[in-house]
Amino acid sequence: MRSFTSTFVVFLLLSNTIIAQISNNKYDYFLRNAKVADNSDSHIEVNPTSGDTTFRAFYTIRDVVNNTNQDFSKTYKGTPFFKNGWYKGSFNTESGKKMEFVMAFNVQKNELYIVENANKEAIAIRPDAFTIMGHHFSKFEKAYYEVIYIGKNTLLKEYACNLHTNDNDLKTGYESSGQYDGEFTKSSKLLLFKDEQVIQLPKGKNIYALFGSKKALVEAYVKTNNINLKSENGIVSTLKYYDSLENPQ
């Protein structure tokens, strides 16, 4: 991939045109030929039969003995990208100016890409924070996390992506239907940013340990309102209530 600095000015001249051209429907946001993998021409496709979003990767093997190249491709179900594609997003420059782009967040590599247009290579950038499809991500300890709630305890969501393949019939827990060469599977978990560190969120009733002298009040709130501490909404509601006790209006 090229550096962000060398092509930034050119992209600014083109960004409004690109966004306007792909605003009609969901799949218009996919720039199918953007070069974002570790090879020359990988892209996102939508399977016309199943409707699955897929990632098609092209590779070249060099045969040193015969001095020839062998080209081949593999198609995986899903993609390594957040929401499986390219979407309008934004981030702020160091001067505070908001910049809007077409971008993709590679969950597997924890990298953000922007493009000039569908026929050019993606550019990897490392802003401190960015927003894509209304989801706000910030960099903590050199990795990106979605910021779910900011308060005395800041709630983060960490995304992970793994590629399970059928190469050599390895047993990976992924059962191929024979239609694809593998599958990208995604998962997420909630964490806390506390005392300048990203830490595990206490599970279930263990979360009450976060609330110190307000523990009894928070427990009563959860019980009275039938809050589900296993759900993201329930945890956010509990944290908000605790912050209201710490900072009464």
Side-chain angles (χ1 to χ4, degrees):
M1 289 188 181
R2 294 170 290 168
S3 68
F4 173 61
T5 305
S6 63
T7 56
F8 183 61
V9 175
V10 176
F11 184 78
L12 294 184
L13 298 175
L14 298 174
S15 59
N16 290 336
T17 302
I18 296 168
I19 293 173
Q21 287 175 341
I22 60 173
S23 60
N24 294 328
N25 59 58
K26 177 180 177 182
Y27 289 117
D28 281 345
Y29 289 124
F30 288 72
L31 303 185
R32 291 179 175 82
N33 295 317
K35 302 173 184 178
V36 296
D38 294 328
N39 47 71
S40 61
D41 188 30
S42 295
H43 54 266
I44 296 168
E45 297 177 338
V46 178
N47 185 311
T49 302
S50 65
D52 293 334
T53 302
T54 66
F55 187 73
R56 191 176 183 196
F58 293 84
Y59 303 92
T60 299
I61 293 179
R62 178 69 174 170
D63 186 335
V64 179
V65 176
N66 297 310
N67 195 29
T68 60
N69 292 329
Q70 178 185 355
D71 297 325
F72 66 99
S73 68
K74 289 178 178 278
T75 301
Y76 304 107
K77 184 178 181 181
T79 80
F81 304 122
F82 180 71
K83 301 294 184 182
N84 282 335
W86 294 80
Y87 301 95
K88 288 188 289 187
S90 64
F91 67 88
N92 291 335
T93 65
E94 291 183 0
S95 65
K97 184 177 181 180
K98 181 179 179 181
M99 308 298 296
E100 294 187 345
F101 299 90
V102 177
M103 58 176 58
F105 176 45
N106 188 321
V107 176
Q108 186 185 37
K109 294 188 175 182
N110 206 249
E111 291 181 344
L112 181 67
Y113 307 134
I114 62 174
V115 291
E116 294 177 17
N117 61 58
N119 297 316
K120 294 193 176 182
E121 289 187 7
I123 302 165
I125 63 172
R126 294 288 292 175
D128 289 333
F130 64 91
T131 299
I132 182 170
M133 289 196 72
H135 296 260
H136 182 72
F137 289 82
S138 285
K139 188 164 52 178
F140 297 89
E141 300 178 354
K142 299 183 179 180
Y144 288 114
Y145 301 87
E146 184 180 1
V147 180
I148 304 299
Y149 174 73
I150 298 176
K152 190 173 179 66
N153 296 282
T154 296
L155 186 65
L156 307 175
K157 182 181 286 188
E158 179 184 46
Y159 292 88
C161 177
N162 293 297
L163 174 59
H164 303 287
T165 68
N166 345 337
D167 293 342
N168 300 319
D169 295 321
L170 294 177
K171 302 299 182 182
T172 63
Y174 166 76
E175 296 180 1
S176 172
S177 64
Q179 186 174 11
Y180 302 114
D181 295 295
E183 180 176 0
F184 287 99
T185 59
K186 297 185 179 74
S187 61
S188 64
K189 63 180 179 180
L190 295 175
L191 302 167
L192 287 177
F193 184 68
K194 188 177 181 66
D195 300 325
E196 301 302 315
Q197 289 185 320
V198 178
I199 63 173
Q200 293 291 327
L201 177 73
K203 301 293 184 182
K205 294 184 178 180
N206 292 328
I207 196 174
Y208 294 131
L210 297 172
F211 307 128
S213 62
K214 302 296 193 297
K215 176 181 176 181
L217 291 173
V218 175
E219 283 189 273
Y221 168 80
V222 170
K223 184 176 180 180
T224 300
N225 293 278
N226 196 27
I227 300 295
N228 180 5
L229 292 177
K230 293 182 179 180
S231 72
E232 181 178 313
N233 289 338
I235 292 169
V236 170
S237 178
T238 302
L239 294 177
K240 284 183 177 179
Y241 176 71
Y242 170 64
D243 285 343
S244 73
L245 296 175
E246 292 289 292
N247 302 288
Q249 299 299 316

